[in-house]
Amino acid sequence: MYPLLFRAVLSRFDPEFAHHAGMAVIRVLGVPPFSWATRALCAPASGHQVSALGLTFDSPFGVAAGFDKNAVGVRGLAALGFGHVEIGTVTAIPQDGNPKPRLFRLVPDRAVINRMGFNNAGADAAAKRLAKLRRRRPKTVIGVNIGKSRVVDVENATADYVDSATKLAPLADYLAVNVSSPNTPGLRGLQAVETLAPLLRAVKDAAGSTPLLVKIAPDLPDEEIAAIGRLAVAEGLDGIIAHNTTIGRDGLKTDASVVDAAGAGGLSGAPLRERSMEVLRVVREAVPSDFCVISVGGVETASDVDERLDAGATLVQGYTAFLYRGPFWARQINRELRRR
């Protein structure tokens, strides 16, 4: 039913408008009595719990950062069956992001190009929403992804990240440092080990006892990915998220003129599947077996989730396939995992 709805109706709307419309529905699904019915229909099976980061995840499959930037849809996403929700990316200073249009579908590839630019209401607003969620005791793990404010120079990035971490870590189940988005000028340069080490050290101090992870880019050479893995272990981090969107455009089925018209930005979705598996294997080999590795990129089916878990992922995240699979995506994956 949903594929027909997508082809006939949703694909005709601007992607960002469609996303906000979908989020409005998800927010409704998080409010009783709708949440009770949704959870009864979509709740993960009890046998698929995962213990990681000192937490219990009801399902190994969760929502990647970028889908719910401002922590407005957490309860609805939890009701739909996701084992965790990573909100953000949140910046210390509120920002509108890049000019529109900034989100583009590549339907033949089941992919998306985005150059959103960390549009969000800022750390203070996110902290207020998270505090409210905590009082309601949400039935899901909430991660918070933090990034650099656009108006802050790269040289002052550490203080900016620390500001966000100080405000958000006490309200997060885990904190993720995003140094890998291609849509904030200079951000990916922070992945250099000599730059990343002091940044992570400072954020870890600010995060206190909250588990801390770092999110990396797939476009780095394998040796640099492995070096970041070893650095994360040496600095006492709790995990790595592998990975963010790619600036690559190789092997796409979508007409080249459509891809060119979309312009710059990060590519996500099915075309990342192969590289995502490669990055996962590189990271897994570089870190201890009990180190948390969250795999994201090109995940669409329960088979994809199984493949990541078999390759050493602790948890798996998705985002782009939500556009193509619809609101019962997590339910489909959880039920297939249970059958397997």
Side-chain angles (χ1 to χ4, degrees), residues 29 33-45 75-81 139 328 331 334-335 338:
L29 295 178
F34 304 106
S35 60
W36 303 336
T38 305
R39 184 172 290 278
L41 183 65
C42 301
R75 297 176 71 197
L77 291 166
L80 286 168
K139 295 180 179 180
F328 294 116
R331 177 178 181 266
N334 288 326
R335 290 201 165 192
R338 181 171 58 195

Side-chain angles (χ1 to χ4, degrees), residues 24-336:
V25 174
I26 290 169
R27 293 177 72 172
V28 171
L29 295 178
V31 178
F34 304 106
S35 60
W36 303 336
T38 305
R39 184 172 290 278
L41 183 65
C42 301
S46 59
H48 285 92
Q49 291 183 334
V50 174
S51 296
L53 304 174
L55 306 163
T56 299
F57 297 75
D58 287 341
S59 166
F61 183 58
V63 183
F67 194 88
D68 184 2
K69 296 179 181 295
N70 293 303
V72 297
V74 172
R75 297 176 71 197
L77 291 166
L80 286 168
F82 291 98
H84 67 281
V85 178
E86 187 173 313
I87 70 149
T89 296
V90 180
T91 55
I93 301 170
Q95 54 189 46
D96 294 331
N98 290 321
K100 299 178 182 179
R102 53 194 180 181
L103 184 63
F104 308 88
R105 302 184 192 94
L106 305 186
V107 177
D109 292 289
R110 300 181 75 80
V112 162
I113 291 174
N114 93 83
R115 51 172 175 273
M116 304 300 289
F118 291 169
N119 54 307
N120 75 106
D124 287 327
K128 289 178 182 177
R129 291 195 180 99
L130 290 169
K132 189 175 181 179
L133 278 169
R134 289 301 178 200
R135 289 194 294 271
R136 295 177 177 177
R137 299 181 181 180
K139 295 180 179 180
T140 192
V141 172
I142 304 174
V144 178
N145 185 296
I146 59 173
K148 185 186 77 69
S149 303
R150 192 180 188 93
V151 297
V152 173
D153 293 335
V154 173
E155 293 76 12
N156 300 317
T158 297
D160 189 62
Y161 278 97
V162 166
D163 187 9
S164 292
T166 302
K167 293 171 179 175
L168 296 168
L171 300 163
D173 288 315
Y174 72 83
L175 203 65
V177 177
N178 186 347
V179 289
S180 50
S181 169
N183 299 317
T184 296
L187 186 72
R188 286 192 166 191
L190 295 174
Q191 292 178 111
V193 169
E194 62 274 13
T195 307
L196 187 58
L199 189 155
L200 293 178
R201 205 170 298 140
V203 175
K204 181 172 173 56
D205 287 344
S209 60
T210 302
L212 183 65
L213 298 85
V214 61
K215 186 168 186 176
I216 61 174
D219 304 311
L220 294 170
D222 287 355
E223 58 269 23
E224 291 186 27
I225 291 172
I228 293 174
R230 293 189 292 268
L231 172 67
V233 174
E235 292 296 334
L237 267 66
D238 300 276
I240 288 180
I241 302 175
H243 49 69
N244 216 314
T245 58
T246 179
I247 57 174
R249 300 290 188 266
D250 294 338
L252 296 179
K253 301 173 185 175
T254 303
D255 189 275
S257 63
V258 175
V259 177
D260 291 343
L267 173 73
S268 62
L272 273 72
R273 185 178 292 114
E274 183 176 346
R275 178 55 180 162
S276 186
M277 284 296 300
E278 294 172 352
V279 172
L280 171 59
R281 293 188 179 106
V282 170
V283 171
R284 189 75 274 174
E285 290 177 2
V287 301
S289 59
D290 60 348
F291 196 71
C292 180
V293 179
I294 301 179
S295 182
V296 54
V299 174
E300 184 166 342
T301 67
S303 178
D304 295 328
V305 175
D306 256 347
E307 184 180 35
R308 305 302 170 92
L309 296 174
D310 289 344
T314 313
L315 299 161
V316 181
Q317 292 179 343
Y319 173 178
T320 302
F322 207 131
L323 282 68
Y324 297 104
R325 289 273 177 166
F328 294 116
W329 180 37
R331 177 178 181 266
Q332 294 164 0
I333 286 181
N334 288 326
R335 290 201 165 192
E336 180 61 25

